[in-house]
Amino acid sequence: MATRDWRNRARMALAAIRGRPVVIHRPPRFPLEHSFFPPKRLAKVLEREGRTYRGADPFPHVVIDGLIEKAALRTVLVEFGKVDETAWKSRSLDTERKRSNEAEETFGPYTTKLIHTLNSGNFLRFLERLTGVEGLIADPYLRGGGLHEIREGGPLDVHADFNLQRRLRLYRRLNLLLYLNRDWDDAWGGHLELWDRDLTRCARRIVPLFNRTVIFNTTSHSYHGHPEPLACPDKRARRSIAVYYYTVECPPDTEREPHTTIFQQLPAPAE
């Protein structure tokens, strides 16, 4: 392959010296009509992760690398950066500093197809088999989900998510977070932290790498976040796509009474 590339560059240079037009053949962009999942990817995830999901510490979850076709997701990342600034909603609080956009009409075509794919019947069946949660329903309104971005200095304190989609009157059951951060430096932070029910222990820290997907059960005690302010360069940001799933029935480990996001104060580190 390296020899072929060298020969191609030599031909282009020679053509330029002779004054001939140089034709650059770029690799074709990922066809929009193709599946966004690599062949047999979902089946392989079920085979490898299906038995361990429910017993994961500190609550049922899984981390999947490479769930989406890389070329398709690269285009989604390009579209992310082109979203009109007026479409974003910003929150700047002590507990969270982030921008979000759940308005599908502002998404690019690849982003729209990705969201539709993650909300499709085929993917819902996959999630039901993976998690054991039956009767899952996708949220076409992307309430609280869609595109998320956190910039330098932004925290997202450890919290439990809202438990009821009021418009649909459905109980929240699963979160799916798909990260879009290429060449992410571990020193920048932004790790997704999963905390135990008593908030005495961070059981897992997950680096938000490009094409890494985290799926986890959502209850009134599934505490997660990245409490340390983001330390990325000014021109970088922690970007992700969030999709949530619901059922008619209230899960056993969730308060039936509706509540909004519940932020928690972590214990002070031992001296």
Side-chain angles (χ1 to χ4, degrees):
M1 182 64 69
T3 301
R4 184 183 304 171
D5 290 343
W6 181 86
R7 289 175 178 172
N8 287 338
R9 288 196 295 268
R11 292 193 189 100
M12 292 168 58
L14 184 59
I17 292 172
R18 294 176 176 176
R20 297 175 183 174
V22 178
V23 179
I24 300 176
H25 297 282
R26 299 184 184 277
R29 189 168 67 169
F30 187 85
L32 187 59
E33 66 273 13
H34 285 192
S35 172
F36 276 25
F37 297 122
K40 301 182 180 179
R41 188 72 181 99
L42 299 185
K44 291 177 181 177
V45 170
L46 287 175
E47 179 181 349
R48 188 181 65 226
E49 311 289 355
R51 297 180 181 179
T52 61
Y53 177 91
R54 300 174 209 185
D57 184 31
F59 45 80
H61 74 274
V62 66
V63 179
I64 308 169
D65 288 324
L67 180 66
I68 306 299
E69 284 283 4
K70 187 182 297 184
L73 200 60
R74 282 197 294 260
T75 306
V76 170
L77 179 57
V78 171
E79 292 181 346
F80 195 115
K82 295 181 178 180
V83 173
D84 192 303
E85 284 295 316
T86 61
W88 293 95
K89 298 178 181 178
S90 297
R91 294 179 66 86
S92 184
L93 306 171
D94 291 339
T95 52
E96 63 173 330
R97 282 174 51 192
K98 74 175 185 180
R99 305 199 311 162
S100 61
N101 177 10
E102 57 194 50
E104 185 181 309
E105 65 273 13
T106 68
F107 301 165
Y110 282 77
T111 306
T112 299
K113 177 172 178 178
L114 175 60
I115 296 292
H116 289 181
T117 297
L118 296 176
N119 279 341
S120 67
N122 178 56
F123 195 69
L124 290 177
R125 286 188 290 272
F126 159 78
L127 289 174
E128 290 176 342
R129 292 181 62 190
L130 174 69
T131 66
V133 180
E134 298 182 351
L136 287 174
I137 301 171
D139 176 13
Y141 302 104
L142 298 178
R143 165 73 174 87
L147 312 184
H148 289 178
E149 181 180 79
I150 298 177
R151 296 180 174 179
E152 180 194 13
L156 179 61
D157 280 5
V158 170
H159 62 280
D161 292 310
F162 68 83
N163 64 339
L164 186 74
Q165 215 286 21
R166 295 176 182 270
R167 185 171 188 173
L168 299 177
R169 299 183 181 180
L170 297 174
Y171 288 96
R172 188 161 165 182
R173 300 299 299 273
L174 299 177
N175 281 13
L176 182 149
L177 306 176
L178 172 57
Y179 293 106
L180 303 175
N181 307 300
R182 302 182 70 180
D183 304 318
W184 189 258
D185 190 327
D186 192 71
W188 298 344
H191 301 64
L192 176 65
E193 297 186 1
L194 308 183
W195 282 74
D196 66 4
R197 187 185 184 110
D198 298 325
L199 293 169
T200 59
R201 177 176 61 95
C202 175
R204 189 166 188 181
R205 300 178 76 247
I206 302 165
V207 184
L209 299 178
F210 180 79
N211 207 2
R212 172 167 287 176
T213 301
V214 183
I215 301 168
F216 59 90
N217 281 24
T218 310
T219 71
S220 298
H221 310 284
S222 54
Y223 297 122
H224 60 283
H226 71 86
E228 295 299 323
L230 205 59
C232 64
D234 181 58
K235 294 184 179 180
R236 293 297 303 267
R238 181 184 188 270
R239 291 176 168 178
S240 60
I241 290 177
V243 183
Y244 309 138
Y245 305 94
Y246 300 81
T247 60
V248 174
E249 300 296 328
C250 177
D253 200 30
T254 289
E255 298 175 11
R256 182 170 292 275
E257 289 300 313
H259 64 72
T260 58
T261 301
I262 304 172
F263 287 99
Q264 298 288 346
Q265 184 173 358
L266 298 177
E271 296 182 359

